[in-house]
């Protein structure tokens, strides 16, 4: 499992129009991969940016996170290196033709971050911004977020990726072990149990889609009450606001176990071999959570995983009302919420 990069990142300064941006913390998070930025260090990226497919409003909003202030000592140094680079390439930096107007990426959204205090716990502040919450939460930033004030509550909201398999693998084995062990000598019974297990996996993919679409992305309006906005932010909104928070990409085991029991208990009265089905559903969930982390911080080379990473990033930054499948696009196809990705001319890389 790849780990987040950033603390060891080298300086990567680019110019866009008249401003400078330090993308060193963003390179390995870029939805288009690091090869999209190839050759742009200490260079003007305006022309390439305009030729690229139009960036979404969310992407343009995120870009402001990396803007270098004019008083930053890196700005004059970057200007000097940029000018020297143009001269070395035989270009007169003082007599460059005027850049064509960028009709798709010419405007930055007005910042909404003044609505909250990022130095304080965020959850109590959501009730104060309900009228514009839905717009604010879908404008991503790349900064630390504190959800609760008390440290003991805040600690419960952060989960390293390895804790999820450590907790759930023994549970998955325990759920199915007794039934499988007792049927080990009966091949037909064992085949049935295997079928129930994979039915549980399929059931999870449907629950994943259902929860993501109709619970995590519940439709919010300007008159939505503070309780529903706060609840939405706590369960999923914060992930869209700070999509690169590595400690909040997997679901904490304790609330995950509570949610599993709430779903399993009523279903157990109707299912055949409910414990084996539960084992399969939990295995499906485990694959989903690990895959979700990998889609954000991994460097996939297998074509399907590259596709799913692009697919999930499109959900985050362009089509928040589409692409609800994370481990599989199956139910997006069934319910016609699939995101159609453009074909690439080259293989994307993230490291």
């Amino acid at each position: 499992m790849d780990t987040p990069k950033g603390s060891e990142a080298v300086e990567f300064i680019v110019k866009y129009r008249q401003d400078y941006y330090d993308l060193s913390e963003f390179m390995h998070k870029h939805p288009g991969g690091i090869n999209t930025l190839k050759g742009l260090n200490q260079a003007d990226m305006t022309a390439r940016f305009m030729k690229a497919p139009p960036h979404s409003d969310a992407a343009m909003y995120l870009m402001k996170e990396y803007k270098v202030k004019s008083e930053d000592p890196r700005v004059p140094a970057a200007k000097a290196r940029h000018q020297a680079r143009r001269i070395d390439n035989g270009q007169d930096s003082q007599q460059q033709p005027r850049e064509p107007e960028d009709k798709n990426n010419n405007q930055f959204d007005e910042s909404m971050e003044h609505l909250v205090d990022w130095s304080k716990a965020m959850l109590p502040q959501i009730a104060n911004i309900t009228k514009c919450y839905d717009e604010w939460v879908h404008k991503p930033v790349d900064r630390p977020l504190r959800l609760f004030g008390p440290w003991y509550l805040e600690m419960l909201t952060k989960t390293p990726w390895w804790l999820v398999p450590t907790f759930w693998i023994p549970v998955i084995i325990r759920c199915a072990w007794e039934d499988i062990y007792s049927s080990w000598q009966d091949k037909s019974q064992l085949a049935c149990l295997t079928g129930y297990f994979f039915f549980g996996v399929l059931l999870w993919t449907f629950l994943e889609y259902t929860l993501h679409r109709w619970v995590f992305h519940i439709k919010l309006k300007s008159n939505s009450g503070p309780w529903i906005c706060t609840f939405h932010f706590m369960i999923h909104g914060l992930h869209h606001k700070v999509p690169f928070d590595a400690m909040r990409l997997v679901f904490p085991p304790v609330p995950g176990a509570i949610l599993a029991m709430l779903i399993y208990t009523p279903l157990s009265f109707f299912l055949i071999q409910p414990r084996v089905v539960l084992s399969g559903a939990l295995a499906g969930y485990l694959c989903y959570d690990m895959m979700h982390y990998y889609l954000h911080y991994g460097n996939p080379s297998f074509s399907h995983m590259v596709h799913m990473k692009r697919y999930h990033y499109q959900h985050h930054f362009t089509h928040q009302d589409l692409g609800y499948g994370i481990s599989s696009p199956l139910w997006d196809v069934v319910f016609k919420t699939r995101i159609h990705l453009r074909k690439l001319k080259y293989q994307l890389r993230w490291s």
Side-chain angles (χ1 to χ4, degrees), residues 4 24 30 66 84 150 172 205 210 222 304:
S24 57
H30 192 294
Y66 309 104
I172 292 168
T205 64
T210 301
S222 59
H304 175 71

Side-chain angles (χ1 to χ4, degrees), residues 47-290:
R48 190 186 298 185
F49 195 93
M50 290 189 296
K51 291 178 182 178
H55 286 65
S56 66
D57 291 342
M60 296 298 292
Y61 192 89
L62 177 64
M63 186 175 171
K64 292 186 296 182
E65 291 290 287
Y66 309 104
K67 185 175 179 179
V68 181
K69 295 181 179 179
S70 57
E71 62 269 20
D72 192 294
R74 290 172 295 179
V75 171
K79 285 181 179 179
R81 287 192 293 267
H82 173 59
Q83 183 174 359
R85 182 170 177 170
R86 298 184 78 125
I87 294 174
D88 289 341
N89 291 334
Q91 297 173 316
D92 184 350
S93 61
Q94 302 299 321
Q95 298 180 4
Q96 289 298 309
R98 186 176 182 271
E99 294 168 348
E101 186 69 13
D102 179 7
K103 299 183 184 301
N104 294 314
N105 302 305
N106 192 33
Q107 298 294 327
F108 284 100
D109 289 340
E110 189 69 26
S111 178
M112 300 180 70
E113 302 316 311
H114 67 279
L115 298 173
V116 295
D117 186 345
W118 280 88
S119 66
K120 298 179 180 179
M122 191 62 67
L123 199 63
Q125 301 183 62
I126 301 301
N128 302 325
I129 60 170
T130 55
K131 290 185 178 180
C132 52
Y133 166 77
D134 190 54
E135 181 184 2
W136 172 82
V137 81
H138 288 110
K139 292 182 181 294
V141 296
D142 188 4
R143 59 182 73 178
L145 180 144
R146 186 178 184 88
L147 193 61
F148 291 102
W151 67 267
Y152 50 87
L153 291 178
E154 180 68 5
M155 180 179 64
L156 295 176
T157 70
K158 296 184 176 183
T159 310
W161 71 264
W162 52 263
L163 184 60
V164 175
T166 301
F167 178 88
W168 284 111
I169 288 177
V171 175
I172 292 168
I173 295 173
R174 181 67 182 87
C175 286
W177 177 256
E178 197 172 303
D179 292 301
I180 292 176
Y181 182 77
S182 63
S183 305
W184 195 254
Q185 301 301 326
D186 187 340
K187 291 185 178 180
S188 62
Q189 181 66 16
L190 191 60
C192 288
L193 292 178
T194 303
Y196 289 127
F197 179 87
F198 283 106
F199 171 74
V201 175
L202 181 64
L203 178 63
W204 163 255
T205 64
F206 180 71
L207 288 173
E208 173 194 318
Y209 180 90
T210 301
L211 290 171
H212 194 186
R213 179 176 180 178
W214 287 295
V215 179
F216 295 168
H217 281 272
I218 185 174
K219 298 298 181 182
L220 298 170
K221 301 178 181 179
S222 59
N223 60 349
S224 296
W227 284 105
I228 193 169
C229 291
T230 302
F231 175 73
H232 176 268
F233 187 75
M234 183 169 59
I235 64 170
H236 194 63
L238 66 90
H239 177 52
H240 274 262
K241 189 63 183 177
V242 286
F244 305 120
D245 189 336
M247 294 293 284
R248 291 194 173 100
L249 289 177
V250 294
F251 207 66
V254 173
I258 294 172
L259 183 61
M261 289 306 300
L262 289 175
I263 296 174
Y264 169 76
T265 300
L267 289 178
S268 65
F269 293 104
F270 305 98
L271 295 173
I272 302 173
Q273 297 290 347
R275 289 182 298 183
V276 178
V277 173
L278 174 63
S279 179
L282 292 177
Y285 157 72
L286 178 60
C287 291
Y288 146 80
D289 231 358
M290 294 298 93

Side-chain angles (χ1 to χ4, degrees), residues 1-5 28 160-162 246 249 290 292-301 309 349-351:
M1 182 69 68
D2 293 0
T3 53
K5 303 172 180 64
H28 299 282
W161 71 264
W162 52 263
L249 289 177
M290 294 298 93
H292 185 220
Y293 185 92
Y294 186 71
L295 293 182
H296 276 267
Y297 275 108
N299 179 31
S301 56
K309 178 158 184 161
R349 294 187 298 106
W350 285 272
S351 68

